[in-house]
Amino acid sequence: MRITALAGGTGAAKLLRGLAACLGPGELTVVGNVGDDAEVWGLHVSPDLDTVTYALAGLLDTGRGWGRADESFRCLEGMAGYGAPTWFTLGDRDLATHLVRTQALRAGRPLSAVTADIAARLRVAARILPASDDPVRTTIVTPDGRLGFQEYFVRDKALAEVVAVEYGSAARARPAAGVLEAIAHADRVVVCPSNPVTSIGPIVAVPGIADALGAARARVVGVSPIVGGAAVSGPAGALMRACGLPVSPLGVARAYAPWLGALLVDPRDAALAAALEADGVRAVVAEVVMTDRAREVALARAVLAA
Ligand code: FO1
């Protein structure tokens, strides 16, 4: 079975671990968000690609939901001593990933090739593709100016009022090699429970990807990251509101129209099933909050069965 999953970071990582547990090697392809990418200390950091890679390699710090387990921050301390900005906390082991990535990019290798090399070194069986090799930077527009996603989310703790969200140069980006084929040839396309605006939005903003989803022969099945009127984690609620979307599975379905076929919603949102169906999306009620490994696998099974 060929499964292609569109993924952000922390929320996606849990479902991807569940899917990987249900699938054979080579059956899972992940199309990852690069809208969160940032330059830190001169290094190219791809937080969502790394979160997914570390999760599938069994190396993720599952408490934080990002970065590597068993981490230390000696370099960060050293950088603080030089007066460098340290609001984006890069761990020492994690730094090795950014050094290797940046070196390869400077040598002219595309992000997709570097991502595959890193995944192979960490013995990840799934294929992990960035949505694009070209820069796609999410910008958060606030009343006081424009912020890069990490400035908004980490430095300013997602406290700024959001006026709009832009995907920068996405309009000029091309899908990375293999992305359109992975969508076209999948037996199922999965949209992980990620932030619709800043995780999945930048992926489908890359010209060609939304069309491929619309033309896919497989059903596109999403998992709602919104439960009972609020995001399971992170600032999805405020960002959806800023984009004029209701903070509910209905808003998620609207963000993914017209290519979403089915949406898994929490039992607390079961009453929205009829409204989802009226919008042309089949509603499947399932436990979408993954509090342990058993629930990750159970949700993965529900996604595959939907
Ligand atoms: N998130 C934080 O809340 N604070 C951090 O200092 C932080 C550092 C960081 C370093 C590497 C990395 O791969 C991710 C990191 N994240 C941090 C998570 C990241 O900002 C977000 O989880 C994603 O961009 C949203 O999906």
Side-chain angles (χ1 to χ4, degrees):
M1 198 180 197
R2 284 167 298 186
I3 304 296
T4 296
L6 310 189
T10 306
K14 296 181 179 188
L15 179 60
L16 291 171
R17 264 194 316 241
L19 285 168
C22 298
L23 297 167
E27 287 189 310
L28 178 61
T29 298
V30 180
V31 177
N33 173 38
V34 289
D36 292 13
D37 285 17
E39 176 118 339
V40 183
W41 305 335
L43 303 175
H44 183 115
V45 182
S46 293
D48 283 358
L49 296 178
D50 291 345
T51 298
V52 166
T53 303
Y54 294 156
L56 293 174
L59 297 172
L60 185 72
D61 183 314
T62 49
R64 287 186 309 223
W66 49 267
R68 286 190 59 159
D70 194 19
E71 187 58 288
S72 56
F73 293 89
R74 304 294 297 272
C75 181
L76 190 86
E77 289 164 23
M79 292 303 275
Y82 285 124
T86 52
W87 54 264
F88 199 72
T89 50
L90 293 182
D92 298 330
R93 289 177 195 272
D94 190 31
L95 258 177
T97 305
H98 314 313
L99 286 165
V100 163
R101 174 188 295 117
T102 305
Q103 221 169 19
L105 290 173
R106 288 202 184 134
R109 281 173 72 70
L111 182 61
S112 49
V114 189
T115 304
D117 289 349
I118 292 169
R121 284 284 184 172
L122 298 181
R123 300 188 197 290
V124 173
R127 191 153 75 117
I128 303 174
L129 301 171
S132 179
D133 284 329
D134 303 319
V136 179
R137 293 287 193 277
T138 300
T139 301
I140 308 296
V141 184
T142 78
D144 298 322
R146 304 157 66 79
L147 302 172
F149 178 77
Q150 300 300 346
E151 292 170 326
Y152 161 76
F153 183 59
V154 176
R155 190 192 64 192
D156 298 349
K157 302 181 174 32
L159 291 174
E161 185 192 332
V162 182
V163 176
V165 179
E166 294 172 0
Y167 302 124
S169 46
R172 291 189 301 282
R174 289 151 302 163
V179 168
L180 298 183
E181 295 77 1
I183 294 169
H185 300 144
D187 298 306
R188 167 128 317 167
V189 178
V190 178
V191 187
C192 291
S194 299
N195 187 322
V197 177
T198 53
S199 296
I200 305 301
I203 298 176
V204 297
V206 175
I209 295 187
D211 288 345
L213 290 163
R217 62 182 175 82
R219 168 172 273 170
V220 181
V221 177
V223 177
S224 178
I226 305 291
V227 170
V232 174
S233 69
L239 292 162
M240 288 176 73
R241 229 172 274 119
C243 294
L245 295 165
V247 185
S248 86
L250 291 170
V252 177
R254 220 161 283 170
Y256 300 159
W259 41 265
L260 187 72
L263 186 65
L264 273 70
V265 302
D266 191 83
R268 280 164 276 183
D269 293 315
L272 298 172
L276 283 166
E277 309 265 342
D279 280 351
V281 173
R282 197 160 83 80
V284 178
V285 178
E287 294 288 347
V288 300
V289 182
M290 294 168 280
T291 43
D292 57 31
R293 293 296 168 99
R295 282 185 181 232
E296 294 172 7
V297 174
L299 183 58
R301 290 212 176 102
V303 164
L304 297 175

